[in-house]
Amino acid sequence: MSSLVCRSPSVISTSLLILPLLRLAAPARSVQTCAQRQPQPQQTRRASGPVAVRRFSASLTLSRKVAPTEAAHINEVRKTIADEFALIKDAYQSPKHPVVLAHGLLGFAELKLGGSYLPSIHYWRGIQEALTAQGAEVITASVPPSGSIEKRAAKLAQDIEAQAQGKSVNVVAHSMGGLDARYMISQLQPKGVDVKSLVTIGTPHHGSAFADYLIDELGPNYLPQVYKAWERVTGWEPSAFSQLTQKYMAEHFNPATPDDPNVQYFSYGAMVNGKPPLLSMFRISHKLIEEREGPNDGLVSVESSQWGTYKGTLTGVNHLDLINWTNRIRSNLQKLMGHPPSFNAVAFYLGIGDMLAKEGL
């Protein structure tokens, strides 16, 4: 099981692991391909806002989303970031508050496969070390891999409180980690945790059409069987999967999880240029999401990734490139062909630290 997690440390592993379990739990059920499924109309987004939401006695604000048309979608990408993070610069400013790195679905902070005999595998490959080298204090959280947002958020709060020791923090979250952080800030409001900013990267704030696809394929008759098989094989509870659907985010999570006006929210999205390679793990999911939501990184659409102040869309970048899990063979081939990669994940996170510093955070 560890080898599976290492190859795909984020939500993409869902498709690789659930679909075989689907066949075990429901062998007679046929799974339609993306080409066989007809695209469904996109859910209507709020056209204006922000929406004032009252929770207890606190006055909070729910970030708004504007539904773009297909033609305007690249404009809604607003700022396409093609090569701003291609190279590491000579100097970066460091944020004044510690940076908390919050991982996504099926993620981890550090994974040891061979005890002391093999080097550890890190979710944030080279990113923590680079930020630390630039003078930032870095905290890495480790939450239940496929637990519910509520449980993951509670563990995130515990990790921050234990490691920050009363210091204010900036949370930088990949994928589902951004939802954990939003819930922690809005709902849990832990007394020992003071979050100054939240930067989300490829987070499905409005769900993922691919999550809807997987849940729909399982259906209510087979879903309990697959969940039991998941727990039996992995030892992890499967509560997270149904919470990543567009329906759950629109009808439950977002209305109940307004922003805290004392926290600054930033977000980045990403999109793959053209079609993923034939053997890419994102080939099916990218096509399905593109049909239903538009440009995407293979798992999360540009539209869904926007929350708070949208900083821009990283182009030619997939969901795993965002955490420095870029295919090294592909990268080397691009260099040999005279097309050096236009995205360096380490430069990207150093840039986020620099941005936070300039914001006084």
Side-chain angles (χ1 to χ4, degrees):
M1 182 59 211
S2 295
S3 62
L4 285 174
V5 176
C6 293
R7 282 197 291 269
S8 40
S10 190
V11 65
I12 187 60
S13 300
T14 307
S15 63
L16 302 178
L17 297 174
I18 282 191
L19 290 180
L21 291 176
L22 168 59
R23 293 182 180 178
L24 289 174
R29 182 179 174 86
S30 62
V31 179
Q32 293 176 302
T33 64
C34 292
Q36 292 170 321
R37 292 180 61 87
Q38 294 297 318
Q40 299 298 315
Q42 295 185 30
Q43 292 182 353
T44 303
R45 306 288 193 203
R46 297 179 183 85
S48 61
V51 179
V53 179
R54 305 190 71 171
R55 179 180 180 274
F56 301 110
S57 60
S59 176
L60 302 175
T61 305
L62 183 64
S63 291
R64 70 180 180 90
K65 274 277 288 96
V66 178
T69 63
E70 183 63 27
H73 211 319
I74 299 302
N75 288 332
E76 184 60 20
V77 174
R78 275 179 274 192
K79 176 186 176 187
T80 54
I81 305 173
D83 56 9
E84 183 176 333
F85 302 111
L87 299 172
I88 295 177
K89 299 177 182 179
D90 293 332
Y92 294 90
Q93 294 184 42
S94 296
K96 98 177 144 177
H97 304 300
V99 172
V100 177
L101 297 176
H103 67 71
L105 179 67
L106 304 186
F108 50 88
E110 182 179 8
L111 189 64
K112 293 182 180 293
L113 296 178
S116 59
Y117 298 101
L118 294 175
S120 300
I121 297 175
H122 296 269
Y123 185 91
W124 307 92
R125 296 178 65 175
I127 294 166
Q128 178 181 358
E129 294 82 356
L131 286 168
T132 301
Q134 287 295 326
E137 182 178 345
V138 182
I139 294 169
T140 55
S142 182
V143 304
S146 57
S148 66
I149 293 173
E150 293 81 1
K151 289 185 178 180
R152 288 167 57 97
K155 180 59 164 57
L156 175 62
Q158 291 175 12
D159 286 3
I160 295 174
E161 186 170 8
Q163 297 181 61
Q165 297 292 307
K167 298 177 184 176
S168 299
V169 298
N170 299 301
V171 179
V172 177
H174 175 241
S175 196
M176 187 179 178
L179 305 180
D180 304 334
R182 283 179 53 202
Y183 186 89
M184 177 190 72
I185 294 167
S186 178
Q187 295 290 341
L188 300 184
Q189 302 180 4
K191 293 182 179 179
V193 176
D194 179 30
V195 178
K196 293 299 184 183
S197 72
L198 170 60
V199 182
T200 60
I201 304 160
T203 292
H205 292 289
H206 301 275
S208 171
F210 191 53
D212 290 81
Y213 169 77
L214 290 174
I215 297 297
D216 289 346
E217 285 300 328
L218 293 174
N221 294 330
Y222 297 105
L223 198 57
Q225 299 174 49
V226 174
Y227 281 173
K228 287 180 182 178
W230 174 268
E231 287 191 270
R232 186 168 61 250
V233 172
T234 67
W236 303 334
E237 67 164 296
S239 304
F241 303 129
S242 62
Q243 292 184 320
L244 296 174
T245 64
Q246 294 172 307
K247 180 180 177 65
Y248 182 82
M249 296 303 295
E251 297 181 4
H252 300 282
F253 185 81
N254 285 336
T257 314
D259 288 347
D260 186 330
N262 297 314
V263 177
Q264 293 192 52
Y265 293 79
F266 306 95
S267 59
Y268 290 86
M271 58 185 286
V272 175
N273 291 331
K275 296 180 180 179
L278 183 61
L279 299 180
S280 170
M281 64 178 68
F282 297 107
R283 193 162 176 89
I284 294 176
S285 57
H286 176 269
K287 179 181 180 182
L288 186 145
I289 296 172
E290 187 172 50
E291 290 172 346
R292 301 184 179 190
E293 297 183 72
N296 66 90
D297 64 9
L299 273 183
V300 179
S301 70
V302 170
E303 183 179 357
S304 187
S305 65
Q306 297 176 38
W307 196 265
T309 300
Y310 190 62
K311 302 296 289 184
T313 302
L314 302 159
T315 61
V317 178
N318 69 39
H319 199 69
L320 294 185
D321 292 337
L322 291 170
I323 50 171
N324 207 24
W325 281 71
T326 300
N327 186 304
R328 302 300 176 188
I329 296 176
R330 181 190 70 191
S331 178
N332 290 333
L333 286 175
Q334 288 177 333
K335 290 178 182 178
L336 289 173
M337 295 173 66
H339 302 290
S342 61
F343 177 73
N344 182 313
V346 170
F348 174 56
Y349 285 88
L350 289 174
I352 289 176
D354 188 75
M355 178 272 291
L356 291 172
K358 290 174 180 175
E359 291 283 345
L361 299 166

